Amino acid sequence: MKIVDIKVIVSCPGRNFVTVKIITDEGVYGVGDATLNGRELAVAAYLEEHVAPCLIGRDAQQIEDIWQYLYRGCYWRRGPVTMTAIGAIDTALWDIKAKAANMPLYQLLGGKSREGVMVYGHANGSDIAETIDEVAKYIDMGYKAIRAQSGVPGLDSTYGVAKEKMYYEPADADLPTENIWSTQQYLRHVPKLFDHLRDKFGFDHHFLHDVHHRLTPNEAAGLGKSLEEYRLFWLEDAVPAENQEGFRIIRQHTTIPLALGEVFNTIWDCKNLIQEQLIDYIRATVVHAGGITHLRRIADLAAIYHIRTGCHGATDLSPICMGAALHFDTWVPNFGIQEYMRHSEETDAVFPHAYTFKDGYLFPGEASGHGVDIDEKLAAKYPYKRAYLPVNRLEDGTMWNW
Ligand code: GCO
Ligand code: MG
């Protein structure tokens, strides 16, 4: 089964997405998500100029060899652009293999380990009262797990708080928006949020929170301690993780479950965190961590150390990534949870998909392949629009992590 064509499709149905479509001489094709928020065209050019020419004529069935060829063969290993490009090709090839076998992808991976994939939704409000109302809406929709974020008093904008409630897009401007951050205000506010939420809703639902890389290890340790009594499912990205050893400090002080890794690209980014059991959930996902082939290796390493998966699933990951992740989640033995931020109607129309939501769970569907396609004609109606993620500064103007 030879690869005869590789298309790179860039479109903006509400937000930018990069999609790879691999076409074989047997007429079977597969699609993969290649979206890297705010750096979309770098991946598109990488795929068009440096990947597609090397793959034409190769056997589409040799997923592993193609993965190794693109990883080892490029000499410049790792990095988000390279690994997103590899992830997209890998996803499309698994799609092809499963379609050729006439099976849903989860069957090819080893079959179902569970009936449904527990997901968490995003409740957010400009203050605690509004966040409580939003959490109530998610509970009414059947969600078992909900991420709660709220505006911080004294700050004009806070990560995770948006006007649109069912989905939101942080890449909101043609040039990066500048936000102001205060660790002190934030640390005072978050325990109050979870105090109110537990008071109102009790302990039957899972609550999660994303710090979005804002703290130092010692600050995160303090926050973890102050949140322990509210029994969070996880505290996410408390600290930027380039310095993996930093997580030892957090672990020495608090038992709050820690989630990390939506920005990780390879097993090397989380090797020490996993082997030293410094985290509880690994957030790497299909598109940014080298596809199904590589994510599977990360999950297997994590399983040895009692660490479970919690794949990233924000709106900047296309429905193709979501579909592939759901097949992975259905199979992976050490599954934890799946993030699910809904896409806009425009996005859903461009990417028809087999997955469905019911009572807090997602189901990948029984279509062969990963069950997500792209409507190329419709995609062509939405040309690329440059959009950046915001940047963050401290109150005195110092650059900080967004
Ligand atoms: C999450 C994430 C996202 C990211 C976004 C950046 O936990 O869902 O932190 O909201 O900010 O994916 O592109
Ligand atoms: Mg996050």
Side-chain angles (χ1 to χ4, degrees):
M1 187 190 276
K2 288 209 180 332
I3 297 174
V4 291
D5 193 12
I6 299 185
K7 290 188 190 175
V8 179
I9 305 153
V10 181
S11 78
C12 187
R15 70 160 340 282
N16 291 314
F17 292 110
V18 180
T19 305
V20 158
K21 181 166 180 176
I22 301 183
I23 299 154
T24 67
D25 59 354
E26 294 182 18
V28 186
Y29 67 87
V31 293
D33 179 21
T35 309
L36 184 62
N37 204 358
R39 296 292 184 273
E40 294 85 358
L41 298 186
V43 185
Y46 190 108
L47 282 162
E48 262 165 2
E49 301 296 326
H50 306 298
V51 172
C54 308
L55 298 188
I56 302 299
R58 280 179 195 275
D59 182 355
Q61 295 173 103
Q62 291 185 307
I63 300 180
E64 187 65 52
D65 183 67
I66 289 177
W67 196 97
Q68 300 293 339
Y69 182 87
L70 295 176
Y71 184 79
R72 293 174 195 262
C74 86
Y75 187 66
W76 312 105
R77 298 177 183 207
R78 307 162 67 188
V81 175
T82 298
M83 296 311 293
T84 301
I86 295 178
I89 297 290
D90 188 78
T91 306
L93 293 177
W94 277 103
D95 193 25
I96 289 172
K97 199 181 266 303
K99 281 176 177 168
N102 200 20
M103 283 180 187
L105 176 56
Y106 73 80
Q107 291 290 13
L108 211 54
L109 294 173
K112 272 189 197 178
S113 298
R114 56 199 50 80
E115 293 306 320
V117 171
M118 183 172 74
V119 298
Y120 70 90
H122 282 226
N124 66 85
S126 54
D127 56 20
I128 291 178
E130 201 189 349
T131 306
I132 290 176
D133 291 348
E134 290 302 314
V135 167
K137 286 186 198 158
Y138 278 88
I139 290 176
D140 287 349
M141 284 185 280
Y143 281 80
K144 314 284 179 246
I146 300 145
R147 187 186 96 159
Q149 309 286 137
S150 129
V152 174
L155 298 183
D156 283 348
S157 63
T158 312
Y159 163 76
V161 179
K163 281 185 220 97
E164 281 286 355
K165 292 305 179 202
M166 288 314 293
Y167 48 84
Y168 72 87
E169 184 41 63
D172 58 1
D174 182 48
L175 286 174
T177 310
E178 303 235 342
N179 292 348
I180 301 295
W181 174 251
S182 159
T183 297
Q184 198 194 4
Q185 308 270 29
Y186 170 78
L187 289 178
R188 272 215 313 265
H189 183 67
V190 179
K192 288 184 202 156
L193 169 66
F194 286 95
D195 194 46
H196 280 85
L197 287 173
R198 285 305 186 200
D199 197 42
K200 172 92 184 161
F201 300 108
F203 283 77
D204 287 347
H205 292 87
H206 298 300
F207 290 146
L208 302 84
H209 183 70
D210 190 350
V211 182
H212 221 265
H213 322 272
R214 303 290 205 269
L215 303 177
T216 65
N218 193 45
E219 288 163 352
L223 178 63
K225 266 162 85 166
S226 64
L227 292 176
E228 271 172 22
E229 60 180 301
Y230 308 115
R231 301 265 160 209
L232 266 58
F233 187 92
W234 78 32
L235 187 69
E236 178 186 340
D237 284 336
V239 181
E242 287 96 326
N243 175 23
Q244 298 189 22
E245 297 88 328
F247 279 76
R248 288 185 198 142
I249 296 175
I250 311 178
R251 272 297 208 221
Q252 280 157 12
H253 295 284
T254 175
T255 56
I256 193 164
L258 300 171
L260 208 68
E262 65 182 39
V263 301
F264 291 173
N265 312 123
T266 69
I267 201 162
W268 307 103
D269 298 327
C270 45
K271 179 174 169 283
N272 296 353
L273 290 165
I274 291 175
Q275 289 180 325
E276 288 192 46
Q277 305 185 66
L278 299 178
I279 55 172
D280 299 277
Y281 295 93
I282 179 71
R283 302 245 315 124
T285 193
V286 179
V287 52
H288 299 137
I292 297 277
T293 297
H294 195 64
L295 191 60
R296 195 155 77 152
R297 300 219 155 97
I298 296 177
D300 281 343
L301 178 67
I304 299 175
Y305 298 96
H306 311 282
I307 294 164
R308 292 187 283 167
T309 63
C311 287
H312 188 200
T315 40
D316 48 298
L317 288 72
S318 93
I320 296 174
C321 177
M322 179 58 73
L326 290 171
H327 285 267
F328 176 83
D329 295 336
T330 297
W331 156 73
V332 71
N334 50 326
F335 172 74
I337 200 166
Q338 166 71 51
E339 180 180 12
Y340 176 44
M341 218 205 281
R342 289 166 191 245
H343 286 105
S344 66
E345 275 177 28
E346 284 166 303
T347 299
D348 279 340
V350 168
F351 297 98
H353 51 263
Y355 60 81
T356 50
F357 172 87
K358 190 164 185 271
D359 292 336
Y361 293 89
L362 274 172
F363 302 88
E366 294 299 316
S368 62
H370 56 49
V372 189
D373 207 343
I374 181 165
D375 179 335
E376 288 181 72
K377 272 202 190 125
L378 193 55
K381 292 192 178 150
Y382 300 103
Y384 169 78
K385 253 183 25 210
R386 189 174 69 185
Y388 282 99
L389 289 169
V391 297
N392 227 1
R393 290 185 189 277
L394 301 181
E395 288 157 301
D396 68 358
T398 308
M399 273 298 293
W400 198 243
N401 319 312
W402 178 75

